[in-house]
Short mmCIF file of all heavy atoms in Angstrom, two decimals:
data_model
loop_
_atom_site.label_atom_id
_atom_site.label_comp_id
_atom_site.label_asym_id
_atom_site.label_seq_id
_atom_site.Cartn_x
_atom_site.Cartn_y
_atom_site.Cartn_z
N MET A 24 119.32 91.76 118.35
CA MET A 24 117.86 91.51 118.42
C MET A 24 117.01 92.65 117.83
O MET A 24 116.01 92.33 117.24
CB MET A 24 117.57 91.17 119.90
CG MET A 24 116.08 90.73 120.00
SD MET A 24 115.74 89.90 121.59
CE MET A 24 115.40 91.23 122.58
N ASN A 25 117.40 93.85 118.10
CA ASN A 25 116.61 94.92 117.55
C ASN A 25 116.54 94.99 116.07
O ASN A 25 115.62 95.36 115.41
CB ASN A 25 117.17 96.22 118.07
CG ASN A 25 116.31 96.87 119.11
OD1 ASN A 25 115.22 96.36 119.46
ND2 ASN A 25 116.75 97.94 119.70
N SER A 26 117.64 94.53 115.46
CA SER A 26 117.66 94.57 113.92
C SER A 26 116.71 93.52 113.35
O SER A 26 116.15 93.81 112.27
CB SER A 26 119.11 94.19 113.43
OG SER A 26 119.43 92.92 113.85
N ASN A 27 116.47 92.39 114.06
CA ASN A 27 115.50 91.43 113.68
C ASN A 27 114.13 92.11 113.67
O ASN A 27 113.32 91.85 112.76
CB ASN A 27 115.53 90.27 114.50
CG ASN A 27 114.65 89.11 114.03
OD1 ASN A 27 114.15 89.17 112.86
ND2 ASN A 27 114.31 88.15 114.88
N VAL A 28 113.80 92.83 114.75
CA VAL A 28 112.53 93.47 114.83
C VAL A 28 112.35 94.55 113.73
O VAL A 28 111.37 94.66 113.08
CB VAL A 28 112.29 94.10 116.19
CG1 VAL A 28 111.03 94.94 116.33
CG2 VAL A 28 112.27 93.05 117.27
N GLU A 29 113.45 95.33 113.55
CA GLU A 29 113.40 96.38 112.53
C GLU A 29 113.23 95.71 111.15
O GLU A 29 112.44 96.33 110.33
CB GLU A 29 114.64 97.16 112.62
CG GLU A 29 114.80 98.02 113.85
CD GLU A 29 116.11 98.74 114.06
OE1 GLU A 29 117.03 98.48 113.21
OE2 GLU A 29 116.22 99.38 115.09
N GLN A 30 113.78 94.61 110.88
CA GLN A 30 113.68 93.93 109.63
C GLN A 30 112.24 93.47 109.32
O GLN A 30 111.66 93.64 108.20
CB GLN A 30 114.62 92.72 109.42
CG GLN A 30 116.11 93.12 109.30
CD GLN A 30 117.03 91.98 109.35
OE1 GLN A 30 116.59 90.80 109.61
NE2 GLN A 30 118.30 92.15 108.99
N ARG A 31 111.64 92.83 110.42
CA ARG A 31 110.25 92.44 110.24
C ARG A 31 109.32 93.62 110.05
O ARG A 31 108.40 93.62 109.28
CB ARG A 31 109.85 91.62 111.55
CG ARG A 31 110.47 90.31 111.58
CD ARG A 31 109.85 89.41 112.58
NE ARG A 31 109.20 89.98 113.73
CZ ARG A 31 109.63 90.08 115.04
NH1 ARG A 31 110.81 89.53 115.29
NH2 ARG A 31 108.91 90.60 115.99
N ALA A 32 109.52 94.76 110.82
CA ALA A 32 108.68 95.92 110.73
C ALA A 32 108.82 96.46 109.29
O ALA A 32 107.83 96.93 108.72
CB ALA A 32 109.16 96.93 111.76
N LYS A 33 110.07 96.53 108.75
CA LYS A 33 110.26 97.03 107.39
C LYS A 33 109.55 96.18 106.37
O LYS A 33 108.96 96.62 105.38
CB LYS A 33 111.73 97.12 107.09
CG LYS A 33 112.11 97.87 105.82
CD LYS A 33 113.53 97.99 105.63
CE LYS A 33 113.82 98.87 104.43
NZ LYS A 33 115.31 99.10 104.35
N ALA A 34 109.65 94.84 106.54
CA ALA A 34 108.98 93.89 105.62
C ALA A 34 107.39 94.08 105.67
O ALA A 34 106.63 93.80 104.63
CB ALA A 34 109.37 92.47 105.94
N GLN A 35 106.89 94.42 106.85
CA GLN A 35 105.44 94.53 107.02
C GLN A 35 104.91 95.94 106.73
O GLN A 35 103.82 96.17 106.69
CB GLN A 35 105.08 94.16 108.42
CG GLN A 35 105.31 92.74 108.72
CD GLN A 35 105.23 92.45 110.28
OE1 GLN A 35 104.97 93.26 111.10
NE2 GLN A 35 105.33 91.15 110.58
N GLY A 36 105.89 96.90 106.49
CA GLY A 36 105.46 98.19 106.26
C GLY A 36 104.78 98.41 104.96
O GLY A 36 104.75 97.52 104.04
N GLU A 37 104.13 99.60 104.90
CA GLU A 37 103.34 99.91 103.70
C GLU A 37 104.10 100.90 102.79
O GLU A 37 104.14 102.08 103.09
CB GLU A 37 102.02 100.48 104.09
CG GLU A 37 101.07 99.58 104.85
CD GLU A 37 99.81 100.31 105.31
OE1 GLU A 37 99.46 101.26 104.58
OE2 GLU A 37 99.25 99.88 106.26
N ASN A 38 104.77 100.39 101.87
CA ASN A 38 105.51 101.19 100.81
C ASN A 38 104.72 101.30 99.71
O ASN A 38 105.04 100.68 98.56
CB ASN A 38 106.89 100.57 100.61
CG ASN A 38 107.77 100.61 101.83
OD1 ASN A 38 107.68 101.48 102.66
ND2 ASN A 38 108.59 99.58 101.98
N LEU A 39 103.58 101.92 99.70
CA LEU A 39 102.65 102.01 98.57
C LEU A 39 102.75 103.39 97.92
O LEU A 39 102.79 104.40 98.60
CB LEU A 39 101.16 101.77 99.03
CG LEU A 39 100.99 100.43 99.79
CD1 LEU A 39 99.68 100.37 100.32
CD2 LEU A 39 101.26 99.25 98.84
N SER A 40 102.59 103.34 96.59
CA SER A 40 102.53 104.68 95.93
C SER A 40 101.00 105.00 95.88
O SER A 40 100.12 104.22 96.14
CB SER A 40 103.09 104.49 94.49
OG SER A 40 102.31 103.57 93.76
N GLY A 41 100.71 106.26 95.61
CA GLY A 41 99.35 106.72 95.62
C GLY A 41 98.37 105.88 94.73
O GLY A 41 98.68 105.60 93.60
N GLY A 42 97.27 105.56 95.36
CA GLY A 42 96.25 104.78 94.63
C GLY A 42 96.34 103.33 94.59
O GLY A 42 95.47 102.61 94.22
N ASP A 43 97.42 102.85 95.17
CA ASP A 43 97.58 101.35 95.21
C ASP A 43 96.71 100.75 96.39
O ASP A 43 96.50 101.38 97.39
CB ASP A 43 98.98 100.91 95.57
CG ASP A 43 99.96 101.21 94.41
OD1 ASP A 43 99.46 101.31 93.24
OD2 ASP A 43 101.26 101.15 94.59
N PRO A 44 96.04 99.61 96.10
CA PRO A 44 95.26 99.04 97.24
C PRO A 44 96.18 98.57 98.36
O PRO A 44 97.24 98.26 98.21
CB PRO A 44 94.69 97.77 96.49
CG PRO A 44 95.53 97.44 95.39
CD PRO A 44 96.17 98.76 94.99
N VAL A 45 95.60 98.72 99.49
CA VAL A 45 96.28 98.31 100.84
C VAL A 45 96.20 96.88 100.95
O VAL A 45 95.07 96.32 101.12
CB VAL A 45 95.78 99.17 101.96
CG1 VAL A 45 96.57 98.65 103.25
CG2 VAL A 45 95.94 100.60 101.79
N PRO A 46 97.32 96.12 101.02
CA PRO A 46 97.19 94.61 101.25
C PRO A 46 96.83 94.31 102.67
O PRO A 46 97.14 95.20 103.61
CB PRO A 46 98.59 94.20 100.97
CG PRO A 46 99.48 95.33 101.20
CD PRO A 46 98.73 96.55 100.83
N PRO A 47 96.26 93.25 102.97
CA PRO A 47 95.94 92.92 104.38
C PRO A 47 97.23 92.81 105.13
O PRO A 47 98.24 92.26 104.65
CB PRO A 47 95.28 91.49 104.34
CG PRO A 47 95.41 91.10 102.92
CD PRO A 47 95.78 92.14 102.04
N MET A 48 97.21 93.38 106.30
CA MET A 48 98.42 93.36 107.15
C MET A 48 98.46 92.12 108.12
O MET A 48 97.59 91.97 108.96
CB MET A 48 98.38 94.67 107.98
CG MET A 48 98.52 95.90 107.05
SD MET A 48 98.45 97.35 108.03
CE MET A 48 100.16 97.53 108.47
N ARG A 49 99.36 91.28 107.95
CA ARG A 49 99.49 90.12 108.73
C ARG A 49 100.91 89.95 109.22
O ARG A 49 101.86 90.36 108.51
CB ARG A 49 99.13 88.86 107.82
CG ARG A 49 97.77 88.90 107.32
CD ARG A 49 97.47 87.57 106.76
NE ARG A 49 96.31 87.48 105.86
CZ ARG A 49 95.05 87.78 106.16
NH1 ARG A 49 94.77 88.09 107.38
NH2 ARG A 49 94.08 87.73 105.30
N ALA A 50 100.98 89.50 110.43
CA ALA A 50 102.35 89.34 111.08
C ALA A 50 102.99 88.12 110.32
O ALA A 50 102.41 87.09 110.05
CB ALA A 50 102.12 89.07 112.48
N ASP A 51 104.31 88.28 109.97
CA ASP A 51 104.97 87.26 109.25
C ASP A 51 105.46 86.16 110.33
O ASP A 51 104.96 85.06 110.25
CB ASP A 51 106.21 87.76 108.59
CG ASP A 51 105.74 88.71 107.44
OD1 ASP A 51 104.68 88.47 106.94
OD2 ASP A 51 106.52 89.70 107.13
N ASP A 52 106.42 86.49 111.07
CA ASP A 52 107.00 85.62 112.14
C ASP A 52 106.91 86.26 113.49
O ASP A 52 107.03 87.40 113.59
CB ASP A 52 108.41 85.31 111.78
CG ASP A 52 108.62 84.47 110.48
OD1 ASP A 52 107.76 83.73 110.21
OD2 ASP A 52 109.58 84.81 109.79
N HIS A 53 106.68 85.43 114.40
CA HIS A 53 106.60 85.98 115.78
C HIS A 53 107.98 85.73 116.54
O HIS A 53 108.66 84.77 116.20
CB HIS A 53 105.46 85.29 116.60
CG HIS A 53 104.10 85.62 115.95
ND1 HIS A 53 103.51 86.83 116.16
CD2 HIS A 53 103.23 84.86 115.22
CE1 HIS A 53 102.35 86.79 115.52
NE2 HIS A 53 102.25 85.64 115.01
N THR A 54 108.17 86.48 117.50
CA THR A 54 109.48 86.40 118.25
C THR A 54 109.16 85.51 119.42
O THR A 54 108.11 85.47 120.00
CB THR A 54 109.96 87.78 118.70
OG1 THR A 54 111.11 87.65 119.43
CG2 THR A 54 108.91 88.50 119.60
N ASN A 55 110.35 84.89 119.98
CA ASN A 55 110.26 84.05 121.06
C ASN A 55 110.91 84.78 122.29
O ASN A 55 111.04 84.23 123.28
CB ASN A 55 110.91 82.71 120.89
CG ASN A 55 110.17 81.87 119.89
OD1 ASN A 55 109.04 82.07 119.66
ND2 ASN A 55 110.88 80.85 119.31
N ALA A 56 111.28 86.09 122.07
CA ALA A 56 111.92 86.74 123.13
C ALA A 56 111.05 86.97 124.35
O ALA A 56 109.77 87.05 124.20
CB ALA A 56 112.37 88.12 122.50
N SER A 57 111.69 87.11 125.44
CA SER A 57 110.90 87.39 126.76
C SER A 57 111.51 88.61 127.33
O SER A 57 112.69 88.49 127.71
CB SER A 57 111.03 86.19 127.67
OG SER A 57 110.24 86.43 128.75
N PRO A 58 110.85 89.68 127.49
CA PRO A 58 109.44 89.94 127.04
C PRO A 58 109.43 90.04 125.55
O PRO A 58 110.40 90.33 124.90
CB PRO A 58 109.23 91.36 127.67
CG PRO A 58 110.47 92.01 127.79
CD PRO A 58 111.44 90.88 128.11
N ALA A 59 108.30 89.84 125.00
CA ALA A 59 108.03 89.77 123.60
C ALA A 59 108.45 91.06 122.97
O ALA A 59 108.07 92.11 123.43
CB ALA A 59 106.58 89.44 123.21
N VAL A 60 109.16 90.99 121.95
CA VAL A 60 109.48 92.20 121.03
C VAL A 60 108.64 92.11 119.68
O VAL A 60 108.81 91.16 119.01
CB VAL A 60 110.96 92.31 120.70
CG1 VAL A 60 111.22 93.52 119.91
CG2 VAL A 60 111.73 92.15 122.07
N GLU A 61 107.69 93.02 119.60
CA GLU A 61 106.72 92.87 118.48
C GLU A 61 106.82 94.14 117.64
O GLU A 61 107.12 95.15 118.06
CB GLU A 61 105.32 92.68 118.94
CG GLU A 61 105.20 91.43 119.82
CD GLU A 61 103.78 91.29 120.30
OE1 GLU A 61 103.10 92.35 120.49
OE2 GLU A 61 103.31 90.19 120.49
N THR A 62 106.52 93.92 116.28
CA THR A 62 106.40 95.07 115.41
C THR A 62 105.05 95.73 115.64
O THR A 62 104.20 95.18 116.19
CB THR A 62 106.55 94.54 113.92
OG1 THR A 62 105.41 93.80 113.68
CG2 THR A 62 107.79 93.88 113.74
N PRO A 63 104.89 96.97 115.18
CA PRO A 63 103.55 97.58 115.32
C PRO A 63 102.41 96.70 114.68
O PRO A 63 101.27 96.79 115.27
CB PRO A 63 103.73 98.94 114.65
CG PRO A 63 105.13 99.19 114.66
CD PRO A 63 105.83 97.85 114.59
N VAL A 64 102.62 96.07 113.65
CA VAL A 64 101.56 95.28 113.02
C VAL A 64 101.21 94.11 113.85
O VAL A 64 100.10 93.77 114.11
CB VAL A 64 101.98 94.73 111.57
CG1 VAL A 64 101.01 93.81 111.02
CG2 VAL A 64 102.27 95.95 110.60
N GLU A 65 102.28 93.42 114.49
CA GLU A 65 101.98 92.39 115.38
C GLU A 65 101.30 92.62 116.66
O GLU A 65 100.52 91.98 117.19
CB GLU A 65 103.24 91.52 115.68
CG GLU A 65 103.97 90.97 114.51
CD GLU A 65 105.37 90.50 114.79
OE1 GLU A 65 106.02 90.94 115.77
OE2 GLU A 65 105.93 89.75 113.98
N ALA A 66 101.60 93.86 117.15
CA ALA A 66 100.95 94.41 118.35
C ALA A 66 99.61 94.95 118.17
O ALA A 66 98.85 95.11 119.17
CB ALA A 66 101.84 95.46 118.97
N ARG A 67 99.21 95.30 117.01
CA ARG A 67 97.87 95.93 116.72
C ARG A 67 96.82 94.91 117.11
O ARG A 67 96.80 93.78 116.71
CB ARG A 67 97.80 96.33 115.25
CG ARG A 67 96.53 97.13 115.06
CD ARG A 67 96.53 97.62 113.59
NE ARG A 67 97.57 98.62 113.40
CZ ARG A 67 98.41 98.66 112.34
NH1 ARG A 67 98.22 97.74 111.42
NH2 ARG A 67 99.32 99.55 112.30
N GLN A 68 95.80 95.38 117.72
CA GLN A 68 94.66 94.50 118.23
C GLN A 68 93.62 94.49 117.19
O GLN A 68 92.87 93.45 117.06
CB GLN A 68 94.10 95.03 119.50
CG GLN A 68 95.06 94.85 120.68
CD GLN A 68 94.48 95.35 121.99
OE1 GLN A 68 93.25 95.63 122.06
NE2 GLN A 68 95.21 95.56 123.09
N GLY A 69 93.40 95.44 116.47
CA GLY A 69 92.44 95.46 115.35
C GLY A 69 92.50 96.53 114.44
O GLY A 69 93.47 97.43 114.67
N PHE A 70 91.78 96.66 113.41
CA PHE A 70 91.92 97.75 112.36
C PHE A 70 90.83 98.65 112.52
O PHE A 70 89.69 98.36 112.93
CB PHE A 70 91.92 96.97 111.01
CG PHE A 70 93.09 96.06 110.75
CD1 PHE A 70 92.90 94.73 110.91
CD2 PHE A 70 94.30 96.60 110.47
CE1 PHE A 70 93.94 93.82 110.67
CE2 PHE A 70 95.35 95.64 110.26
CZ PHE A 70 95.21 94.40 110.35
N LEU A 71 91.20 99.93 112.18
CA LEU A 71 90.19 100.92 112.19
C LEU A 71 89.65 101.06 110.85
O LEU A 71 90.36 100.80 109.90
CB LEU A 71 90.82 102.29 112.75
CG LEU A 71 91.43 102.31 114.09
CD1 LEU A 71 92.06 103.61 114.38
CD2 LEU A 71 90.45 101.94 115.09
N GLY A 72 88.46 101.61 110.73
CA GLY A 72 87.92 101.77 109.44
C GLY A 72 86.41 101.96 109.43
O GLY A 72 85.80 102.22 110.57
N PRO A 73 85.74 102.01 108.32
CA PRO A 73 84.29 102.25 108.32
C PRO A 73 83.49 101.26 109.06
O PRO A 73 82.45 101.60 109.70
CB PRO A 73 83.96 102.24 106.85
CG PRO A 73 85.15 102.10 106.12
CD PRO A 73 86.32 101.89 106.99
N ARG A 74 83.90 100.01 109.08
CA ARG A 74 83.10 98.98 109.81
C ARG A 74 83.09 99.26 111.38
O ARG A 74 82.07 99.16 111.95
CB ARG A 74 83.66 97.59 109.53
CG ARG A 74 83.52 97.14 108.15
CD ARG A 74 84.03 95.75 107.94
NE ARG A 74 83.78 95.38 106.63
CZ ARG A 74 84.38 94.30 106.10
NH1 ARG A 74 85.12 93.44 106.87
NH2 ARG A 74 84.23 93.97 104.88
N VAL A 75 84.25 99.65 111.84
CA VAL A 75 84.43 99.97 113.32
C VAL A 75 83.48 101.17 113.64
O VAL A 75 82.80 101.23 114.60
CB VAL A 75 85.79 100.16 113.68
CG1 VAL A 75 85.94 100.58 115.10
CG2 VAL A 75 86.63 98.89 113.50
N LEU A 76 83.62 102.11 112.72
CA LEU A 76 82.75 103.40 112.89
C LEU A 76 81.26 103.01 112.91
O LEU A 76 80.50 103.60 113.71
CB LEU A 76 83.13 104.40 111.90
CG LEU A 76 82.40 105.78 111.99
CD1 LEU A 76 82.64 106.46 113.29
CD2 LEU A 76 82.74 106.68 110.78
N MET A 77 80.78 102.19 112.01
CA MET A 77 79.39 101.83 111.93
C MET A 77 79.00 101.08 113.22
O MET A 77 77.89 101.31 113.67
CB MET A 77 79.16 100.91 110.65
CG MET A 77 79.30 101.80 109.39
SD MET A 77 78.75 100.89 107.91
CE MET A 77 79.28 99.21 108.14
N VAL A 78 79.77 100.25 113.70
CA VAL A 78 79.52 99.59 114.95
C VAL A 78 79.38 100.51 116.19
O VAL A 78 78.46 100.45 116.93
CB VAL A 78 80.54 98.39 115.23
CG1 VAL A 78 80.35 97.87 116.65
CG2 VAL A 78 80.48 97.28 114.26
N LEU A 79 80.36 101.44 116.19
CA LEU A 79 80.28 102.40 117.27
C LEU A 79 79.04 103.36 117.19
O LEU A 79 78.39 103.62 118.20
CB LEU A 79 81.55 103.30 117.28
CG LEU A 79 82.86 102.51 117.71
CD1 LEU A 79 84.03 103.45 117.54
CD2 LEU A 79 82.70 101.99 119.14
N VAL A 80 78.73 103.81 115.94
CA VAL A 80 77.53 104.66 115.80
C VAL A 80 76.30 103.87 116.00
O VAL A 80 75.36 104.40 116.77
CB VAL A 80 77.58 105.32 114.38
CG1 VAL A 80 76.24 106.01 114.05
CG2 VAL A 80 78.78 106.35 114.30
N GLY A 81 76.24 102.63 115.52
CA GLY A 81 75.13 101.83 115.87
C GLY A 81 74.87 101.62 117.29
O GLY A 81 73.68 101.63 117.79
N GLY A 82 75.94 101.35 118.07
CA GLY A 82 75.77 101.12 119.56
C GLY A 82 75.34 102.43 120.20
O GLY A 82 74.48 102.40 121.19
N LEU A 83 75.82 103.62 119.76
CA LEU A 83 75.40 104.81 120.25
C LEU A 83 73.93 105.09 120.02
O LEU A 83 73.11 105.57 120.92
CB LEU A 83 76.18 105.98 119.73
CG LEU A 83 75.89 107.34 120.32
CD1 LEU A 83 76.27 107.34 121.78
CD2 LEU A 83 76.85 108.44 119.55
N VAL A 84 73.42 104.78 118.78
CA VAL A 84 72.04 104.96 118.47
C VAL A 84 71.17 104.02 119.26
O VAL A 84 70.14 104.52 119.79
CB VAL A 84 71.84 104.70 116.93
CG1 VAL A 84 70.30 104.49 116.57
CG2 VAL A 84 72.47 105.73 116.17
N LEU A 85 71.59 102.80 119.47
CA LEU A 85 70.82 101.86 120.32
C LEU A 85 70.74 102.35 121.71
O LEU A 85 69.76 102.33 122.47
CB LEU A 85 71.36 100.47 120.33
CG LEU A 85 71.13 99.71 119.01
CD1 LEU A 85 71.85 98.41 118.98
CD2 LEU A 85 69.67 99.54 118.75
N ALA A 86 71.81 102.92 122.25
CA ALA A 86 71.88 103.50 123.65
C ALA A 86 70.88 104.67 123.78
O ALA A 86 70.08 104.74 124.77
CB ALA A 86 73.25 103.86 123.97
N VAL A 87 70.89 105.52 122.80
CA VAL A 87 69.95 106.67 122.83
C VAL A 87 68.46 106.19 122.68
O VAL A 87 67.67 106.75 123.43
CB VAL A 87 70.30 107.61 121.63
CG1 VAL A 87 69.19 108.68 121.54
CG2 VAL A 87 71.65 108.32 121.93
N VAL A 88 68.22 105.22 121.86
CA VAL A 88 66.89 104.72 121.75
C VAL A 88 66.41 104.13 123.12
O VAL A 88 65.27 104.27 123.56
CB VAL A 88 66.83 103.67 120.67
CG1 VAL A 88 65.47 102.85 120.70
CG2 VAL A 88 66.92 104.32 119.26
N ALA A 89 67.26 103.23 123.71
CA ALA A 89 66.97 102.71 125.02
C ALA A 89 66.84 103.83 126.12
O ALA A 89 65.84 103.64 126.96
CB ALA A 89 68.17 101.82 125.46
N TRP A 90 67.58 104.79 126.11
CA TRP A 90 67.41 105.92 127.04
C TRP A 90 66.08 106.59 126.88
O TRP A 90 65.29 106.85 127.86
CB TRP A 90 68.53 106.94 126.83
CG TRP A 90 68.56 108.10 127.81
CD1 TRP A 90 67.57 108.66 128.47
CD2 TRP A 90 69.67 108.74 128.22
NE1 TRP A 90 67.99 109.60 129.26
CE2 TRP A 90 69.28 109.78 129.16
CE3 TRP A 90 71.17 108.70 127.93
CZ2 TRP A 90 70.19 110.57 129.78
CZ3 TRP A 90 71.90 109.60 128.60
CH2 TRP A 90 71.44 110.56 129.44
N PHE A 91 65.65 106.96 125.57
CA PHE A 91 64.35 107.49 125.35
C PHE A 91 63.16 106.56 125.78
O PHE A 91 62.22 107.04 126.25
CB PHE A 91 64.26 107.98 123.88
CG PHE A 91 64.89 109.21 123.54
CD1 PHE A 91 65.88 109.28 122.56
CD2 PHE A 91 64.68 110.38 124.30
CE1 PHE A 91 66.56 110.35 122.26
CE2 PHE A 91 65.22 111.54 124.01
CZ PHE A 91 66.16 111.62 122.97
N ALA A 92 63.39 105.25 125.50
CA ALA A 92 62.39 104.37 125.90
C ALA A 92 62.20 104.28 127.46
O ALA A 92 60.99 104.24 127.94
CB ALA A 92 62.70 102.94 125.37
N VAL A 93 63.31 104.34 128.18
CA VAL A 93 63.20 104.34 129.62
C VAL A 93 62.56 105.55 130.09
O VAL A 93 61.78 105.57 130.99
CB VAL A 93 64.62 104.01 130.20
CG1 VAL A 93 64.65 104.32 131.70
CG2 VAL A 93 65.05 102.61 129.95
N GLU A 94 62.97 106.70 129.61
CA GLU A 94 62.39 107.99 130.00
C GLU A 94 60.94 108.14 129.76
O GLU A 94 60.19 108.64 130.47
CB GLU A 94 63.13 109.12 129.36
CG GLU A 94 64.62 109.34 129.88
CD GLU A 94 64.68 109.81 131.24
OE1 GLU A 94 63.71 110.54 131.74
OE2 GLU A 94 65.62 109.50 131.98
N TRP A 95 60.57 107.57 128.59
CA TRP A 95 59.13 107.64 128.17
C TRP A 95 58.26 106.72 129.06
O TRP A 95 57.15 107.05 129.38
CB TRP A 95 58.98 107.17 126.68
CG TRP A 95 57.66 107.39 126.14
CD1 TRP A 95 56.99 108.51 125.94
CD2 TRP A 95 56.78 106.34 125.64
NE1 TRP A 95 55.73 108.29 125.47
CE2 TRP A 95 55.59 107.01 125.15
CE3 TRP A 95 56.95 104.95 125.54
CZ2 TRP A 95 54.56 106.22 124.64
CZ3 TRP A 95 55.89 104.23 125.00
CH2 TRP A 95 54.74 104.87 124.62
N ILE A 96 58.70 105.48 129.36
CA ILE A 96 58.01 104.63 130.19
C ILE A 96 57.94 105.11 131.65
O ILE A 96 56.92 104.94 132.31
CB ILE A 96 58.66 103.17 130.13
CG1 ILE A 96 58.44 102.60 128.76
CG2 ILE A 96 58.03 102.31 131.15
CD1 ILE A 96 59.19 101.33 128.48
N ALA A 97 58.99 105.63 132.17
CA ALA A 97 59.05 106.05 133.57
C ALA A 97 58.47 107.25 133.86
O ALA A 97 57.79 108.06 133.61
CB ALA A 97 60.52 106.21 134.00
#
């Protein structure tokens, strides 16, 4: 069973040489094992990158603006 997971992980791995674009990472086949045995790509909840950073910084800026507004009004 472990070899099946290792084969899926190897197929989903990034064997890219320098400068190659990164293809979208998608899970190929899911396992029916109980408990589920998943590759790192299948277990990942989301991708990190500039979009996530922009959302986090935007939320922090909005929180600071709200804090200043409350302090100024009170």
Side-chain angles (χ1 to χ4, degrees):
M24 184 161 85
N25 255 353
S26 64
N27 186 17
V28 173
E29 291 170 359
Q30 289 174 352
R31 290 196 330 256
K33 189 173 184 178
Q35 295 169 355
E37 297 177 24
N38 298 325
L39 304 174
S40 60
D43 289 344
V45 177
M48 300 175 80
R49 301 190 195 293
D51 293 332
D52 294 323
H53 297 286
T54 179
N55 293 341
S57 181
V60 180
E61 298 176 335
T62 66
V64 173
E65 293 170 345
R67 188 174 292 136
Q68 293 182 9
F70 296 101
L71 301 177
R74 292 182 184 171
V75 174
L76 181 62
M77 290 187 328
V78 168
L79 292 174
V80 169
L83 184 61
V84 167
L85 287 175
V87 169
V88 167
W90 185 329
F91 280 124
V93 168
E94 289 292 330
W95 186 63
I96 292 173

